[in-house]
Amino acid sequence: MSFNRWRFAWSGRPEMVDLFSNRFESLQGTVVGLRYYSGGVNPLEMVSLVREPQNPHDRNAVMVANVDGRQVGHIKKELAAAMAFVMDNNLAKVEGVVPYRTNNAFTMPVSLSFWGAEENRPAFTQRMAQHGLKFDSKGTMSKSEGSQGGRATKKVVTVPLSAEELKNAFDTLFDGLMESQDGEKEAAELVSTPLLPHQKQALSWMCACENSSTLPPFWEQRGALSLTCFSAKDSEGPRGPTGRPYGPGQNSDHHCPDPYQLPPREASSCAEMFGQVVEMSVETPQVTVSTDVQKKKPIVLLEDSDFAVALSGPTSGPKPKNKRSAKKTVPQDDLDIKLKKKKRATKQAILSKAAAEPCISETTEELSTRATLIICPLSVLSNWLDQLEQHVRAAVQLDVYLYYGPERNRSTSFLASQDVVLTTYNVVSADHANKSPLHAVRWLRVVLDEGHVIRNPNTQLERSWILSGTPIQKGVKDLWMLLAFLRLKPFHIKEWWNRVIQRPVTQGDRTGLLNLQTLVRCVTLRRTKTSTVNGRPLVALPGKAVCVERVELTWQERHEYELARSEGQSTVSRYVAEGTVLSNYADVLAILMTLRQLCCHPDLVAKMSASLSAATTPAELRQRLVEKLRAVLASGSDEECCVCLESVRLPVITHCAHVYCQPCIAQVVASERETARCPLCRSDITVSQLVEVPPGELERQEDGARCERWKTSSKVETLLGNLLRLRSEDPSIKCLVVSQFTRFLSVLETPLREQSFSFVRLDGTLSQKRRAQVIQEFQSSAPDSPVIMLLSLKAGGVGLNLTAASRVFLMEPAWNPAAEEQCIDRCLGQRREVHVTKFIVKDSVEENMVKIQRRKQDIVEKAFGSKNRPQDVSH
DNA sequence: ACCGCCGGGTGCC
DNA sequence: ACCGCCGGGTGCC
C-alpha cells in the first residue's frame, strides 16, 4: 500500500476506535448459568458482554455471548451489579476473554478488561470500589471474586510497533498472497477464450473458496497464531432444550435470544466463516517511486461451477433452475477494468460464502436464484458487457441483463431468471430508497466491482466477491466495510473487528497487526502485473513506445522565459543565502510554476503581486495570500496537499504561504497539543489564520483570461504539427492530449476548432455523469466520433478506460512521474501498441523536473516524519 | 456442584 | 434444642 493511503492508519487519532481506548483494569469474574445455554467457548476465546436491562430476574443482568453471538451465560450477579452501572453510564466498555476452562460444567471464569476514556477513570474506580472491587497500583484486582486471579491475567508485555514498522507492515500487507497455490482449473466450455495459467490458478482458488466447507488455514491454525480468541465452531453444539424453558413472563427482547427459538445449527457452523479477497494488481509504494514503475494489469475471473448442489443448505431455498452449466470466465487479457487509480492501483476481489442467517431468513420472502449480480461503477459497465460478449462462446445463450435506465425490468422473477444481472452502484442506491427488486432476490453470487465504494452492505447473499484495486483508502477501517459486506464471521460485527484488529492496530500492537495480516492473507488473492506463476510473468504487456520531442522556444518566448528565470533565480539565491528556502517553499514552487507555464503558453501565467514580505498591513497580507492561492488554483496545476498527498481539495493558504486542503490542515492543527506548526516550514499556524479564496473570484479570473486575443506558442505548434501529420496518415487515429494545466487545455481548444478536429475534453470539473458520456463518445468507433481527448492529468478517477487512443501526447513533464505512467496505462488496451510523445522544452526547467521532484518528495517526507512521531514534535 | 447454601430433621454415648 | 450436627434438596440472571 502506498505511503499516503496508509497515512491515517498509523498517525493515530483519526482512526482511533473511539474514546474507549485506555485500559482501566482487568479482573476476573465468573460466568454462571452455563447449563441453560448452548453457546460454547474454548479456552482463550473472546466473549462479548451484553447488558440485559430487561432481564426479569435482575435488572443488572449482563449476558455473556461467544463469537458466534450465542449466549454462554450470565455474569455473576454481584459483579454484574457493578458492571451494569459502568456499562449503562458509558464509563467503560468491557471485553471478556475466557482464560481457561475448569472442569466445572456450571460456571466458567472470564477475564474482563475495562476500556474507557481517561476522564472516566476516577468514576469507574470509585464505582467498582463501592462494589468491593478494588484495584491496586499495579492494576491487578484485589479482593473478592478473584480467588484464582493469578492464573487469569497473564499480562503480555509487548513492545509497541513504531510508526515506521507499521507503515512497512501495511505496505506489505497485500504482498505475497497466494504464493503456493498450485491447483489449476480449466474454464468452462462456454468460455471461448483459453485461460492463461494464472487464470486457471485463480479460478481453481475461487472455486475452492465457493465450494469449500472446510476452514481456511486461518481458522485451523488459530491456536498457533495469535488469533486464538475465536471459536470457529460450537464445539459442544446446541444443548437442546434440556434446561428449563423461559417462564411465561419472559419478554422477547431481542438482545436476549431465546435459544429454543433458533433452528438447529448445521453441524459445522464454521463453514459459514469463510471469505477470500482477490487482489488483482499491484502498486509500488510511492515512497520508492522509480523509473521502473510496475505494470498494472487488472484481472478478473468469475466462475460458476456446479457447486450449487453441493452447497444447498437449509436456507438456500430452491436450487438450480436447470442443469445448464452457466460458466462465465472473463480472462484478464481484455478485461480492462480501470480502477480508481490514485497513485497506484491494486485490484482485489473478496469472496465469502455468506452465512445462513437464521434470524433474517425467516423475515424476508425472497426469490432464490442461481443468478450472479454484478454491481460496478457506471464507467465500467460497458467493459463488463464487452467482456461477457467477447469471451462467451457465441453458440451459448447466456442471459445477461443490464439492469439500468428508466425502463429497466423490475420484475423479480425476471431478474431471478437471468444468469447475470449487471447494474451500477447508483442504481442500487436509487432503488434502495424504494423497494428494490434487487434486494428481493436472493442471489447466488454478488460481485462488487470497485467494491471499496460500498457503504451499506445489506444484501443477502450466498456468496459474494469484491473486486477492488484500493481496498484501503484511508485506513484499516475501510476493510471493515468489505468484511461486513462479506459477512466474514465474526468480523462483520463491529465489536470483534474493533477488538481484534482495529484498536490493536491503531495502538501499534503487534498482535493486532498479526491478526490483520493473517486475516488478509486468508481471504485475499492478489494479482499484480509483475506477479509470476511458476517463475514466469503473468502478462506480457504490449509495448508502449515513449519518445521525447524537444521543443525550441521562439526568440520572443525565450526572452520572456529568461526574464522570469533570472528574476526567480535571484529570489531563490537570496533564500538560499538567508537559509530560508524551506519557509519560502511556496514561493520557490510558484517560481518554478511560472517557468513551467511559460514553457507551455504565456497565457497560463497568472499575474502575481510581489513577495509576501512586502505586505505591511494584515489586510494587505491577506490580499496577497488570496492572490497567491488563486494563482496556484487558476493554473489548473496538480498542486498536492502535502498532508494527504492528493490534489488539494477546499484549498486554504497559511500565513506562511503554504497551500493545503482545509480539512487536512485543520486536522494537523487539532492534533498538535500546544501550538500547531506548518508541516512544511514549521511556522506557527492557527485555523483562524487560514485564508480561503472568496467564492466567485476564481471564475472572474478565468473570464478575464478568455477576453484576450488568442495567440499560439511553440509547444502548441509542435502539438498541432503532430496532430495534423497523424490525421493525414490515418484520420481515425485517436489521441490523448494530456496536461496538468486545465487552462492549457482551454488554450488548445482554439486551434483544434480552427483545424476542425473533433475533440472532447475531460477534466476534474466534469460531473460523473458527463464524464462517463465523454468517455463513451471518445471510445466510440463511429466515423464522426471525436479523435482527440483533452485530458487533465488529474482527472483520472474510477474506471477511466481510454483504450480507443493509440497516441498520447504529454504536454509537459509532471512532478510525479507515476501520475504520467498511470495516465498512459489507462489507454493501454491490450491489443495495440501505444505511442507516447513527451514534449520537453529545451534548456528549461522542464529538463530538470525529475530532479526537482525528488527534492520535493524528500521535504514532504521529512515533514511527515516529524509529524507522525510524537516524540519528535518538540524537535 | 467432588462445591456452598438453605432449611428440616434431629439430638448422650 | 433460643444450639450444633447431619444429610437431602438444590443451583444464573
Side-chain angles (χ1 to χ4, degrees):
Chain A
M1 293 289 99
S2 70
F3 180 51
N4 55 316
R5 181 162 303 147
W6 288 103
R7 179 172 49 93
F8 288 136
W10 72 84
S11 66
R13 204 161 306 216
E15 247 207 321
M16 216 57 120
V17 176
D18 48 25
L19 293 168
F20 298 96
S21 50
N22 299 305
R23 192 194 194 101
F24 287 170
E25 302 300 342
S26 299
L27 60 80
Q28 181 162 325
T30 309
V31 185
V32 294
L34 303 193
R35 63 169 288 149
Y36 300 101
Y37 308 101
S38 59
V41 188
N42 294 315
L44 294 179
E45 283 177 4
M46 293 180 167
V47 289
S48 71
L49 299 148
V50 183
R51 271 287 282 128
E52 268 182 357
Q54 305 298 322
N55 188 300
H57 302 95
D58 183 356
R59 295 159 39 75
N60 291 326
V62 177
M63 187 264 268
V64 179
N66 70 9
V67 224
D68 284 343
R70 299 170 77 92
Q71 180 160 6
V72 176
H74 282 99
I75 293 293
K76 210 162 157 40
K77 62 174 178 296
E78 296 81 4
L79 182 54
M83 286 171 63
F85 182 88
V86 167
M87 293 168 86
D88 294 347
N89 292 286
N90 260 324
L91 292 181
K93 203 161 60 182
V94 196
E95 295 181 353
V97 172
V98 172
Y100 54 87
R101 289 297 301 262
T102 55
N103 45 12
N104 172 341
F106 304 89
T107 66
M108 64 169 89
V110 58
S111 176
L112 301 169
S113 333
F114 293 84
W115 302 79
E118 194 52 42
E119 62 262 34
N120 288 331
R121 188 188 290 270
F124 167 81
T125 312
Q126 189 203 345
R127 190 69 193 192
M128 295 307 272
Q130 279 175 26
H131 288 267
L133 301 159
K134 288 199 178 124
F135 303 97
D136 61 29
S137 54
K138 279 179 291 180
T140 48
M141 196 220 21
S142 61
K143 208 250 151 191
S144 73
E145 292 282 330
S147 49
Q148 309 151 305
R151 279 160 78 192
T153 41
K154 56 167 190 185
K155 285 243 168 174
V156 183
V157 183
T158 50
V159 184
L161 289 161
S162 69
E164 185 63 22
E165 287 174 293
L166 251 188
K167 178 179 107 50
N168 287 338
F170 280 140
D171 283 347
T172 56
L173 184 61
F174 289 90
D175 289 350
L177 300 171
M178 217 186 111
E179 288 288 323
S180 58
Q181 295 280 324
D182 41 22
E184 288 193 4
K185 187 171 166 66
E186 291 293 336
E189 285 152 53
L190 106 171
V191 177
S192 57
T193 319
L195 295 191
L196 298 172
H198 73 277
Q199 294 172 320
K200 295 179 193 168
Q201 248 190 21
L203 184 55
S204 158
W205 179 80
M206 291 173 87
C207 289
C209 290
E210 292 202 340
N211 285 318
S212 176
S213 58
T214 58
L215 292 175
F218 173 56
W219 303 105
E220 286 168 355
Q221 295 170 21
R222 64 194 153 78
L225 299 169
S226 56
L227 239 148
T228 51
C229 310
F230 292 99
S231 173
K233 47 193 175 282
D234 248 334
S235 49
E236 317 196 5
R239 279 158 175 262
T242 51
R244 219 185 289 161
Y246 282 153
Q250 184 67 35
N251 91 16
S252 57
D253 181 355
H254 52 265
H255 289 301
C256 175
D258 182 342
Y260 310 116
Q261 300 276 306
L262 296 176
R265 279 262 164 144
E266 283 302 284
S268 166
S269 64
C270 49
E272 299 164 0
M273 280 190 320
F274 184 43
Q276 318 286 331
V277 179
V278 184
E279 182 167 333
M280 307 306 244
S281 84
V282 83
E283 353 191 340
T284 39
Q286 184 195 4
V287 194
T288 60
V289 163
S290 56
T291 45
D292 58 338
V293 173
Q294 293 183 36
K295 312 278 182 292
K296 283 144 247 155
K297 179 133 188 173
I299 311 162
V300 166
L301 286 166
L302 288 182
E303 141 84 24
D304 177 354
S305 52
D306 292 332
F307 40 64
V309 177
L311 266 189
S312 62
T315 60
S316 303
K319 271 308 179 182
K321 66 174 181 202
N322 59 38
K323 194 66 183 96
R324 180 160 60 93
S325 168
K327 306 195 182 185
K328 315 161 261 303
T329 305
V330 185
Q332 67 144 79
D333 253 37
D334 293 283
L335 189 87
D336 205 359
I337 292 177
K338 292 304 181 181
L339 326 166
K340 174 153 189 176
K341 287 174 177 163
K342 290 261 183 173
K343 302 286 176 184
R344 292 143 303 276
T346 315
K347 190 145 187 74
Q348 302 204 332
I350 301 183
L351 158 110
S352 111
K353 193 156 59 182
E357 296 287 347
C359 26
I360 299 175
S361 60
E362 65 195 21
T363 61
T364 26
E365 223 178 290
E366 53 190 9
L367 198 52
S368 289
T369 171
R370 52 168 291 111
T372 290
L373 173 67
I374 301 172
I375 309 174
C376 64
L378 178 57
S379 51
V380 297
L381 254 191
S382 58
N383 267 323
W384 281 95
L385 289 170
D386 289 350
Q387 296 302 318
L388 288 167
E389 172 88 8
Q390 195 175 335
H391 298 291
V392 174
R393 216 173 280 284
V396 177
Q397 159 70 29
L398 186 71
D399 294 327
V400 178
Y401 182 66
L402 179 58
Y403 184 76
Y404 188 78
E407 303 300 311
R408 58 182 180 265
N409 188 339
R410 294 159 185 277
S411 151
T412 51
S413 56
F414 169 75
L415 291 173
S417 73
Q418 299 297 302
D419 294 301
V420 176
V421 174
L422 251 174
T423 192
T424 72
Y425 290 102
N426 284 339
V427 169
V428 173
S429 68
D431 252 24
H432 192 61
N434 315 312
K435 275 194 184 125
S436 171
L438 295 179
H439 291 266
V441 172
R442 187 181 194 97
W443 303 95
L444 170 68
R445 178 186 301 105
V446 174
V447 177
L448 301 188
D449 188 13
E450 301 300 343
H452 50 273
V453 307
I454 56 163
R455 307 249 144 176
N456 194 15
N458 268 337
T459 333
Q460 305 215 9
L461 313 164
E462 282 295 314
R463 39 202 99 159
S464 38
W465 292 86
I466 296 174
L467 316 177
S468 173
T470 49
I472 300 182
Q473 299 200 42
K474 287 210 172 73
V476 262
K477 219 169 202 163
D478 297 338
L479 268 183
W480 182 74
M481 262 316 192
L482 306 183
L483 300 181
F485 168 79
L486 297 175
R487 315 255 136 135
L488 187 72
K489 286 194 167 190
F491 300 106
H492 65 297
I493 307 291
K494 200 63 172 272
E495 177 185 353
W496 303 113
W497 167 258
N498 281 341
R499 281 180 67 173
V500 180
I501 312 274
Q502 184 81 29
R503 189 189 53 224
V505 163
T506 50
Q507 293 190 347
D509 177 349
R510 283 163 201 281
T511 315
L513 190 58
L514 203 61
N515 292 340
L516 177 62
Q517 287 164 338
T518 311
L519 177 60
V520 164
R521 268 150 222 261
C522 288
V523 300
T524 60
L525 169 64
R526 178 195 216 197
R527 276 310 164 74
T528 74
K529 291 193 176 180
T530 51
S531 295
T532 55
V533 169
N534 305 328
R536 296 173 57 185
L538 291 185
V539 203
L541 273 185
K544 58 185 169 195
V546 181
C547 68
V548 172
E549 187 162 341
R550 308 224 153 208
V551 178
E552 292 262 17
L553 295 183
T554 62
W555 176 88
Q556 193 161 6
E557 285 167 340
R558 175 57 68 183
H559 179 70
E560 212 174 325
Y561 180 89
E562 288 301 327
L563 266 181
R565 191 189 61 82
S566 59
E567 191 187 310
Q569 189 147 52
S570 67
T571 306
V572 174
S573 305
R574 187 163 43 96
Y575 290 150
V576 170
E578 292 168 355
T580 56
V581 177
L582 205 61
S583 57
N584 286 296
Y585 197 66
D587 269 349
V588 176
L589 284 182
I591 291 165
L592 291 171
M593 174 68 79
T594 306
L595 296 178
R596 291 166 64 202
Q597 289 166 334
L598 282 173
C599 286
C600 294
H601 196 277
D603 284 0
L604 304 188
V605 182
K607 315 269 176 293
M608 248 200 289
S609 47
S611 143
L612 293 170
S613 46
T616 45
T617 68
E620 204 178 338
L621 175 63
R622 189 177 181 84
Q623 190 49 41
R624 294 269 160 83
L625 287 169
V626 169
E627 279 172 28
K628 184 159 238 164
L629 181 54
R630 195 194 305 143
V632 169
L633 302 177
S635 69
S637 83
D638 64 332
E639 208 44 51
E640 286 179 347
C641 164
C642 77
V643 178
C644 64
L645 297 180
E646 307 280 343
S647 299
V648 176
R649 288 176 303 115
L650 301 171
V652 292
I653 191 165
T654 62
H655 271 212
C656 47
H658 295 112
V659 177
Y660 300 97
C661 308
Q662 196 279 331
C664 291
I665 196 67
Q667 187 209 321
V668 169
V669 172
S671 65
E672 305 215 4
R673 303 243 162 88
E674 319 264 297
T675 47
R677 291 165 181 225
C678 175
L680 277 171
C681 69
R682 312 298 295 158
S683 303
D684 288 353
I685 47 174
T686 64
V687 172
S688 61
Q689 283 180 342
L690 298 175
V691 177
E692 306 168 32
V693 173
E697 293 222 8
L698 269 176
E699 286 72 12
R700 250 186 285 148
Q701 175 90 9
E702 287 276 353
D703 290 346
R706 229 175 279 143
C707 293
E708 294 169 27
R709 203 164 54 83
W710 189 84
K711 58 188 172 206
T712 189
S713 75
S714 296
K715 212 176 245 184
V716 172
E717 288 305 311
T718 312
L719 171 71
L720 221 54
N722 272 281
L723 294 176
L724 288 168
R725 184 173 44 77
L726 270 178
R727 181 161 67 179
S728 69
E729 287 167 7
D730 178 355
S732 70
I733 283 187
K734 300 209 179 202
C735 309
L736 297 184
V737 174
V738 185
S739 173
Q740 299 153 76
F741 307 113
T742 51
R743 289 176 67 188
F744 195 25
L745 298 180
S746 305
V747 166
L748 291 170
E749 288 184 22
T750 308
L752 290 185
R753 270 195 209 98
E754 258 168 31
Q755 299 290 340
S756 331
F757 279 106
S758 154
F759 65 92
V760 288
R761 172 173 171 152
L762 183 63
D763 63 38
T765 64
L766 265 57
S767 68
Q768 206 57 49
K769 188 181 169 191
R770 179 77 190 117
R771 177 183 295 230
Q773 265 174 15
V774 163
I775 293 170
Q776 202 177 352
E777 270 179 65
F778 182 72
Q779 288 288 89
S780 155
S781 51
D784 57 341
S785 62
V787 293
I788 294 170
M789 175 181 278
L790 296 175
L791 178 64
S792 127
L793 189 63
K794 281 281 174 169
V798 174
L800 194 46
N801 181 19
L802 304 171
T803 51
S806 58
R807 297 290 312 243
V808 180
F809 295 98
L810 297 172
M811 296 309 295
E812 69 282 320
W815 281 122
N816 182 354
E820 281 179 2
E821 203 69 27
Q822 260 180 38
C823 198
I824 297 167
D825 285 355
R826 283 191 188 117
C827 46
L828 277 181
Q830 279 73 25
R831 264 157 274 190
R832 60 183 137 188
E833 186 149 309
V834 175
H835 266 273
V836 182
T837 305
K838 297 182 175 181
F839 294 121
I840 305 237
V841 170
K842 252 184 168 173
D843 301 319
S844 78
V845 62
E846 291 189 345
E847 292 189 331
N848 297 318
M849 285 288 290
V850 176
K851 280 182 262 172
I852 294 164
Q853 153 67 21
R854 295 240 168 85
R855 225 179 308 156
K856 180 185 171 191
Q857 198 59 48
D858 277 355
I859 291 169
V860 168
E861 278 175 36
K862 269 184 205 127
F864 259 92
S866 59
K867 178 180 169 287
N868 286 316
R869 276 192 292 272
Q871 64 268 34
D872 286 354
V873 161
S874 55
H875 281 276

